[in-house]
């Protein structure tokens, strides 16, 4: 279940990057190569993705080891509570349901995108309970799910077959080479 929900979450972020200005603006502010990881637990399903020029690229969790920011839920149950809309990310943070590796600022950028995606994917009854502010939709929930299904059928969310270096490691190498 966790892998499916992470896939739909990623697909929602990709589709909303195309049609919702808030998500587009947030993602466009990320540096090229910025790599995120969402993990359902230490040994559970994981989602790695990175910004590659003007789009997102899903990375294979069996190959990918590096990231700039990673949110790891303490258990599959804690992950399912957040990913299925029974608990908000802010409530999970207050309950210490996940650990954060990386920069808090970049994690907040990701959670702002996830909040907008959740406001589209979940019914208003659920989003009012888990989000501080329910984002105004630019398309309907059914339209977004349809876009996700069409994208999945086209193979738009396939994984990269090679390991990618995250943004910070690139910067460190670049600085090292310059000195």
């Amino acid at each position: 279940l966790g892998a499916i929900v992470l896939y739909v979450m990623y697909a929602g972020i990709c589709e909303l990057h195309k049609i919702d200005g808030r998500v587009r603006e947030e993602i466009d502010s990320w540096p090229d190569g910025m790599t995120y990881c969402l993990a359902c637990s230490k040994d559970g399903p994981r989602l790695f993705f990175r910004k590659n020029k003007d789009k997102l690229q899903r990375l294979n969790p069996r190959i990918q080891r590096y990231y700039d920011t990673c949110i790891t839920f303490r258990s599959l149950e804690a992950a399912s509570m957040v990913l299925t809309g029974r608990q908000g990310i802010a409530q999970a943070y207050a309950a210490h349901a996940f650990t954060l590796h990386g920069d808090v600022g970049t994690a907040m950028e990701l959670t702002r995108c996830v909040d907008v995606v959740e406001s589209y994917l979940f019914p208003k009854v659920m989003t009012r309970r888990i989000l501080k502010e329910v984002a105004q939709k630019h398309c309907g929930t059914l339209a977004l799910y349809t876009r996700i299904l069409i994208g999945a059928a086209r193979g738009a969310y396939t994984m990269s077959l090679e390991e990618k270096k995250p943004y910070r490691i690139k910067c460190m190498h670049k600085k090292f080479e310059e000195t």
Side-chain angles (χ1 to χ4, degrees), residues 33-166:
M34 185 66 178
T35 305
Y36 286 98
C37 172
L38 283 173
C40 286
S41 68
K42 185 179 175 192
D43 299 320
R46 293 173 295 159
L47 167 68
F48 282 92
F49 65 95
R50 74 192 301 254
K51 180 184 176 194
N52 190 18
K53 296 183 182 160
D54 60 343
K55 62 181 185 170
L56 295 177
Q57 179 181 34
R58 191 166 71 121
L59 307 173
N60 189 334
R62 292 188 185 111
I63 299 170
Q64 189 68 29
R65 294 174 293 160
Y66 302 110
Y67 52 79
D68 292 300
T69 300
C70 182
I71 295 174
T72 305
F73 290 95
R74 295 204 183 269
S75 67
L76 286 171
E77 182 183 338
S80 71
M81 291 287 288
V82 172
L83 296 175
T84 58
R86 292 179 283 162
Q87 184 178 41
I89 195 82
Q91 295 161 331
Y93 177 76
H96 303 287
F98 64 85
T99 58
L100 171 65
H101 302 277
D103 183 42
V104 174
T106 58
M108 291 306 299
E109 293 170 357
L110 176 62
T111 57
R112 283 192 291 270
C113 287
V114 169
D115 284 351
V116 173
V117 172
E118 285 180 341
S119 71
Y120 276 90
L121 295 178
F122 299 138
K124 202 171 208 170
V125 173
M126 290 173 69
T127 55
R128 271 188 268 148
R129 191 181 71 232
I130 63 172
L131 299 175
K132 291 179 189 174
E133 182 179 320
V134 178
Q136 180 157 352
K137 298 180 183 182
H138 297 287
C139 75
T141 299
L142 185 59
L144 180 62
Y145 276 113
T146 303
R147 289 178 69 103
I148 290 170
L149 286 173
I150 291 169
R154 283 186 301 129
Y157 317 119
T158 56
M159 289 187 243
S160 170
L161 298 178
E162 58 189 66
E163 183 173 42
K164 305 288 185 180
K165 298 291 185 210

Side-chain angles (χ1 to χ4, degrees), residues 149-179:
L149 286 173
I150 291 169
R154 283 186 301 129
Y157 317 119
T158 56
M159 289 187 243
S160 170
L161 298 178
E162 58 189 66
E163 183 173 42
K164 305 288 185 180
K165 298 291 185 210
Y167 168 72
R168 290 206 179 104
I169 288 179
K170 278 185 175 179
C171 288
M172 288 181 351
H173 289 303
K174 193 180 260 186
K175 286 179 185 175
F176 180 75
E177 291 169 1
E178 290 173 359
T179 56

